[in-house]
């Protein structure tokens, strides 16, 4: 995965002191689930490598399989559609990763976690934002698939849920500020004038585009797939310049390849603020069990409460 690995110094944690140091980490829990599920279905989990821990714990197994263990609260109901859409797109020739169809009964539920198996893509080099723009342009031209896809009507629902149910990682003042801010941004989202709904990837960030050995690119991580305004898929790249180190030239290339520039849309600034808040939710949810989320959450909260729209955020800790 092409995750940034630089962290700025001097960030002190604002997490409340009742976070239990003895609580099992998310990675330990994920390894346990991985071993149990692989043993259950007869797959060798020896030598599994943890590639990413965020909204999913993502493991590379020997051979050509990737295992995704979901941490999101709605995964059990959402993942059957995710698998179906990925298969449907792959069958239509759209450049996407696809599930390992030889493993039946997915998603496999174990210890309250939803587990899925995907074909591993041997990647070579980092894709470009220009390629991402082309892929999204083509995705948004696809028909809406014949499945019970969710409608993206409230992108901050999971953040709201995390604020309400993860009191141990937030101070009372932080919870109150976040609740008020989420309510304000939800009203802003509902007032946006967007185009006709399209098939959305839902997390169309450059790191979810992989370059295959033959040079072609494929889109992965369909957990956020939905029907909704195309602007939601586009804002991730613009937000990447605001928070994650993408350059203005990379954003320009993305806009040119897609065929329109979100910066010219009247709702741009509101959508950017919504995306800022969305990017905090995963770290609220994971902070009690993930050391990086405990480090990154105060950085993001500090930026938001100070109204700093340019502070750098990070996707991974230093190795």
């Amino acid at each position: 995965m092409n995750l940034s690995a630089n962290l700025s110094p001097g960030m002190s944690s604002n997490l409340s002191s009742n976070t239990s140091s003895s609580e099992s980490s998310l990675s330990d829990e994920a390894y346990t689930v991985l071993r149990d599920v692989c043993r259950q279905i007869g797959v060798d989990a020896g030598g599994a490598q943890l590639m990413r821990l965020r909204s999913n714990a993502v493991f590379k197994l020997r051979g050509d399989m990737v295992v995704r263990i979901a941490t999101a609260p709605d995964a059990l109901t959402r993942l059957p559609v995710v698998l179906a859409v990925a298969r449907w797109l792959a069958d239509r020739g759209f450049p996407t990763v696809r599930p390992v169809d030889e493993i039946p009964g997915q998603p496999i539920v174990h210890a309250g976690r939803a587990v899925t198996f995907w074909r591993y893509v041997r990647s070579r080099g980092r894709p470009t934002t220009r390629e991402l723009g082309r892929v999204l342009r083509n995705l948004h031209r696809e028909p809406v698939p014949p499945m019970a896809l969710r409608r993206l009507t409230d992108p901050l629902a999971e953040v709201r849920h995390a604020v309400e149910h993860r009191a141990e990682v937030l101070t009372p003042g932080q919870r109150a500020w976040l609740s008020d801010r989420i309510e304000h941004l939800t009203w802003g989202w509902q007032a946006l004038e967007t185009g006709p709904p399209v098939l959305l990837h839902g997390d169309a960030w450059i790191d979810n585009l992989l370059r295959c050995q033959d040079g072609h690119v494929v889109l992965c991580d369909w957990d956020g797939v939905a029907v909704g305004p195309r602007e939601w898929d586009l804002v991730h790249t613009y937000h990447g310049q605001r928070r994650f180190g993408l350059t203005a030239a990379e954003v320009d290339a993305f806009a040119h390849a897609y065929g329109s520039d979100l910066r010219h849309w009247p709702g741009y600034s509101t959508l950017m603020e919504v995306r800022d808040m969305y990017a905090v939710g995963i770290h609220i949810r994971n902070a009690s069990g993930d050391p990086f989320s405990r480090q990154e959450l105060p950085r993001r909260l500090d930026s938001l409460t100070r109204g700093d729209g340019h502070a750098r955020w990070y996707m991974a800790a230093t190795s």
Side-chain angles (χ1 to χ4, degrees):
M1 293 295 177
N2 298 316
L3 301 178
S4 172
N6 296 316
L7 289 171
S8 63
M11 296 302 302
S12 60
S13 174
N14 292 327
L15 300 180
S16 53
S17 59
N18 61 340
T19 300
S20 173
S21 60
S22 62
E23 183 175 352
S24 296
S25 71
L26 286 175
S27 61
D28 291 340
E29 176 188 341
Y31 270 110
T32 299
V33 171
L34 175 73
R35 287 191 292 266
D36 289 349
V37 169
C38 286
R39 185 183 307 114
Q40 170 187 327
I41 64 175
V43 171
D44 182 11
Q49 297 177 342
L50 180 62
M51 301 172 69
R52 177 164 65 176
L53 180 62
R54 209 171 357 177
S55 55
N56 291 271
V58 182
F59 291 92
K60 165 67 173 64
L61 300 186
R62 293 192 183 113
D64 65 347
M65 282 195 292
V66 168
V67 184
R68 297 168 60 86
I69 301 173
T71 64
D74 65 342
L76 299 181
T77 57
R78 177 170 40 80
L79 280 174
V81 174
V82 170
L83 292 160
V85 171
R87 292 189 188 102
W88 181 83
L89 284 168
D91 289 343
R92 290 175 60 85
F94 185 84
T96 176
V97 296
R98 69 177 303 150
V100 179
D101 293 328
E102 294 85 346
I103 297 179
Q106 297 188 63
I108 298 169
V109 180
H110 180 81
R113 298 297 190 194
V115 184
T116 54
F117 291 76
W118 299 80
R119 291 293 175 200
Y120 175 62
V121 175
R122 297 185 183 279
S123 57
R124 176 178 62 84
R126 182 177 174 84
T128 67
T129 53
R130 178 176 287 104
E131 290 169 316
L132 179 61
R134 291 179 188 143
V135 168
L136 290 182
R137 179 189 62 195
N138 292 334
L139 175 66
H140 296 163
R141 290 174 175 173
E142 291 281 350
V144 173
M147 293 123 193
L149 275 168
R150 70 184 180 97
R151 297 276 169 168
L152 183 68
T153 57
D154 183 7
L156 298 181
E158 289 189 7
V159 189
R160 187 181 301 108
H161 183 274
V163 170
E164 293 171 354
H165 293 87
R166 291 291 189 270
E168 73 277 8
V169 302
L170 298 168
T171 67
Q174 288 170 337
R175 291 184 71 199
W177 186 89
L178 284 165
S179 296
D180 289 345
R181 183 63 176 162
I182 291 169
E183 181 179 3
H184 173 76
L185 290 174
T186 300
W187 280 104
W189 164 267
Q190 294 170 346
L192 291 175
E193 295 185 6
T194 60
V198 298
L199 175 61
L200 297 175
H201 176 271
D203 190 16
W205 168 239
I206 188 66
D207 281 352
N208 285 330
L209 193 67
L210 304 175
R211 187 186 304 285
C212 304
Q213 293 288 324
D214 64 5
H216 291 89
V217 294
V218 296
L219 202 51
C220 69
D221 192 356
W222 290 90
D223 286 12
V225 68
V227 175
R230 69 183 69 236
E231 291 84 359
W232 183 247
D233 268 355
L234 302 182
V235 75
H236 292 65
T237 297
Y238 298 84
H239 191 250
Q241 181 186 0
R242 179 173 185 164
R243 295 298 190 189
F244 299 111
L246 288 186
T247 66
E250 288 175 310
V251 176
D252 291 343
F254 172 84
H256 181 76
Y258 186 81
S260 65
D261 194 332
L262 194 64
R263 291 168 292 195
H264 300 153
W265 177 55
Y268 175 74
S269 60
T270 297
L271 186 57
M272 189 70 83
E273 296 298 326
V274 172
R275 178 62 199 173
D276 249 0
M277 181 60 68
Y278 178 88
V280 171
I282 181 60
H283 295 296
I284 297 174
R285 192 167 76 236
N286 286 356
S288 62
D290 175 34
F292 174 66
S293 284
R294 285 198 294 274
Q295 184 177 32
E296 183 66 9
L297 177 58
R299 182 198 319 280
R300 298 191 183 189
L301 287 178
D302 179 65
S303 303
L304 295 182
T305 55
R306 289 190 294 105
D308 184 349
H310 302 285
R312 178 69 187 272
W313 295 353
Y314 298 91
M315 305 288 280
T318 54
S319 57

